[in-house]
Amino acid sequence: MPMKNLVSWALVISVSVQTSEFEMGLGVYLEMRRTGLVPNEFALGGVTKGCAALGDEELGECIHCFVLKVGMETNPFVGSSILNMYATLGDIEDAERVFECMDNHVGCWNAMIGGYAQCDHGFESLMAMSLMQYKGIPMDAFTYINALKGCLIVGYLNLGRQIHGLIIQSEVAFYTAVMDSLMDMYFKNGEVYALKVFDGLQGKDIISWNTVFSGLSQGDDARERGRFFHKLMLTGLKPNCVTFSILFRFCEEALDLV
C-alpha cells in the first residue's frame, strides 16, 4: 500500500487480532508507532487484546502508560480494553484501578463485572452489578451475561432467579445470548427450569441447542437427549463441532453403561 494512514494501520491490527494472529497484530502496532503515528481507539483496543491473548503484560503496561500520556484513559472503549486486558492476565487489582478512573459508561461497568467473573470473583461481580443498578446506570445484554457468570461462581441460585426477574422486566428478554446464559446458569445449578426458558425462547440458535445438550449431559435420560437432537434436525439448523463433541460424549457414556 503506497499511502498508509491511521485507518489502514488500525484495520490491519484489528483484523490480525480477530483472526487470532496476535503476534502479527502486535508487530504491526510496533511498526506503526515507529512511523510516528498516534494510534486511535481501535488500534489500542486491538493491541491490548493481543497482549492479553499472548500473556504479554510488559507490553500491555507500556501501552497503558502511553494511553495515560496522551490522555485517552477516559475513552470508554480504550479504558474497557485495558481493563479487560488486566483481568484476562489475572491482575484484578490493576483492573480495578483502571475502572476507578473511568466514567459511568455501561461498557466500563460491563468490563468490570466481566473482569471480576473472569478472575473467579463472583461475589464482587454481583456487587458491582448491584452498585450499577443503585446508581441508575441502564444495564444491557452484556451486563446480564457477565452477572450470570458471577452467579455460577458463587453457586447461589436465588441470585440467579433475581437476575432472571430483572431480565424479564428489561428489553433484553428477547436476546438469544442472554437467554442462553440464563439456561446455562440454571442447568449448572441443577435446575430443570432451564428447559422452560428454552421452550419460551423464540430465536433459538445452535448455541441455544448446545446449551441444552450440555445441560442434559449431566443427567441420565438418553431418550430425552435423543428427542432434543431429533427436534434440532427438524429446525433445519446445522450442528457444529461443539454439538458433535457433546453427542460423542453421550455415546461414550452409553457404551460405558452397557
Side-chain angles (χ1 to χ4, degrees):
M1 183 181 292
M3 292 294 293
K4 299 175 184 176
N5 58 21
L6 181 57
V7 175
S8 58
W9 283 104
L11 181 62
V12 173
I13 293 169
S14 298
V15 171
S16 298
V17 171
Q18 288 171 9
T19 55
S20 299
E21 297 289 344
F22 303 114
E23 292 183 355
M24 178 186 294
L26 299 189
V28 172
Y29 171 81
L30 294 173
E31 186 179 348
M32 181 192 71
R33 291 294 296 123
R34 294 188 193 101
T35 68
L37 282 174
V38 176
N40 60 14
E41 59 187 275
F42 303 108
L44 291 169
V47 74
T48 51
K49 185 176 181 180
C51 289
L54 295 173
D56 194 340
E57 188 166 6
E58 184 177 354
L59 179 58
E61 289 174 345
C62 291
I63 294 168
H64 187 189
C65 290
F66 172 79
V67 168
L68 293 171
K69 182 179 178 180
V70 298
M72 292 184 67
E73 69 276 9
T74 57
N75 181 297
F77 183 79
V78 175
S80 298
S81 298
I82 294 173
L83 193 161
N84 280 325
M85 176 191 71
Y86 282 126
T88 303
L89 293 169
D91 191 346
I92 197 63
E93 291 81 11
D94 275 343
E96 289 174 328
R97 279 190 279 271
V98 172
F99 178 70
E100 289 168 1
C101 299
M102 296 165 72
D103 296 328
N104 284 325
H105 185 276
V106 61
C108 306
W109 283 88
N110 289 346
M112 191 70 253
I113 295 169
Y116 278 132
Q118 194 168 10
C119 294
D120 289 329
H121 292 274
F123 179 76
E124 288 81 358
S125 175
L126 296 171
M127 286 295 293
M129 179 194 176
S130 179
L131 183 59
M132 181 181 179
Q133 185 181 23
Y134 174 77
K135 290 192 172 188
I137 301 169
M139 294 181 281
D140 62 13
F142 296 105
T143 312
Y144 294 112
I145 290 171
N146 289 329
L148 288 167
K149 292 177 183 176
C151 284
L152 280 174
I153 294 167
V154 299
Y156 190 34
L157 183 59
N158 283 339
L159 282 174
R161 290 191 179 114
Q162 290 176 36
I163 294 175
H164 188 181
L166 292 173
I167 290 171
I168 292 173
Q169 296 172 20
S170 72
E171 298 178 353
V172 303
F174 300 103
Y175 283 55
T176 303
V178 175
M179 304 313 284
D180 289 346
S181 297
L182 187 63
M183 284 192 294
D184 189 50
M185 185 275 299
Y186 277 128
F187 271 128
K188 288 179 178 175
N189 278 284
E191 179 59 60
V192 294
Y193 190 78
L195 293 178
K196 292 186 178 180
V197 174
F198 178 77
D199 289 338
L201 182 58
Q202 298 298 317
K204 299 180 181 71
D205 58 14
I206 193 60
I207 298 175
S208 310
W209 287 94
N210 288 344
T211 302
V212 171
F213 289 137
S214 181
L216 291 174
S217 70
Q218 299 169 23
D220 297 319
D221 194 343
R223 289 188 178 183
E224 186 75 356
R225 301 169 185 171
R227 184 174 69 86
F228 272 97
F229 183 69
H230 178 67
K231 289 173 67 175
L232 168 62
M233 292 294 95
L234 293 176
T235 66
L237 286 172
K238 292 184 178 180
N240 60 16
C241 58
V242 177
T243 315
F244 287 116
S245 175
I246 298 169
L247 293 174
F248 286 143
R249 190 167 69 244
F250 288 170
C251 296
E252 183 180 357
E253 291 172 1
L255 288 172
D256 287 341
L257 293 175
V258 175

